[in-house]
Amino acid sequence: MTEPMQGRRWGRIALISCVAIVALGSASGWLSNSGYGNGWFDALRKPSFMPPGWAFGVVWPVHYVMLGLSLAMVIAVPPSTRRTAALALFFVQLALNFAWSPIFFAAHDIDLAKIVIVLMVLLTVAAAALFWRIRQAAALLLIPYVAWLVFAAALNWAIADLNPGAGVTLLG
């Protein structure tokens, strides 16, 4: 397939992947009553480096669009074992991403949320490494997301430390 053809193909795929990821990520947050306005979350002590609530409403959609673009670039590449592995890692981390808000905000399980976000970071880094070997631009689009996940993990950890016993645990 020629490069112009691949470019048109991934652009069409991106229309679907971006809309789907933004919609599913937004639904996850909305259905779990994530962020400020959640009574349980509002009552928690927050770290000094906690961004204002509006920042999350800006940052997450931008990351979701970048994820959709990255995904589309890799889907547009001809099938291979490497592409299959990369997509598997990507989709597992994305499923964990969509599960994090219900775990933290709806189930109030701060400890399980910490495990989930660390797994998200590790899987996204692994997916980005494979994406790099497939299409470097797709991997580069994941870097800001990984940085944000590391920051979000630090927030999760700090909230857990500031609020011992504030959440429930499904871990046993």
Side-chain angles (χ1 to χ4, degrees), residues 40-150:
W40 171 79
F41 180 71
D42 288 345
L44 296 175
R45 292 183 57 215
K46 315 293 186 304
S48 60
F49 60 95
M50 182 80 180
W54 63 263
F56 295 93
V58 171
V59 169
W60 276 114
V62 170
H63 284 305
Y64 286 146
V65 167
M66 292 172 75
L67 288 172
L69 294 171
S70 179
L71 174 63
M73 288 178 182
V74 173
I75 288 174
V77 171
S80 68
T81 303
R82 180 178 293 150
R83 186 188 87 149
T84 300
L87 291 173
L89 289 171
F90 181 90
F91 282 117
V92 172
Q93 75 75 29
L94 189 63
L96 290 173
N97 178 300
F98 296 155
W100 187 90
S101 285
I103 291 166
F104 186 91
F105 289 105
H108 307 164
D109 195 334
I110 299 170
D111 292 331
L112 180 57
K114 287 191 315 189
I115 293 168
V116 168
I117 202 162
V118 168
L119 288 173
M120 284 169 38
V121 170
L122 296 173
L123 290 169
T124 306
V125 168
L130 289 178
F131 278 23
W132 183 263
R133 296 176 72 190
I134 297 166
R135 189 148 184 196
Q136 292 178 353
L140 293 173
L141 284 167
L142 296 179
I143 292 172
Y145 174 63
V146 170
W148 183 259
L149 289 178
V150 170

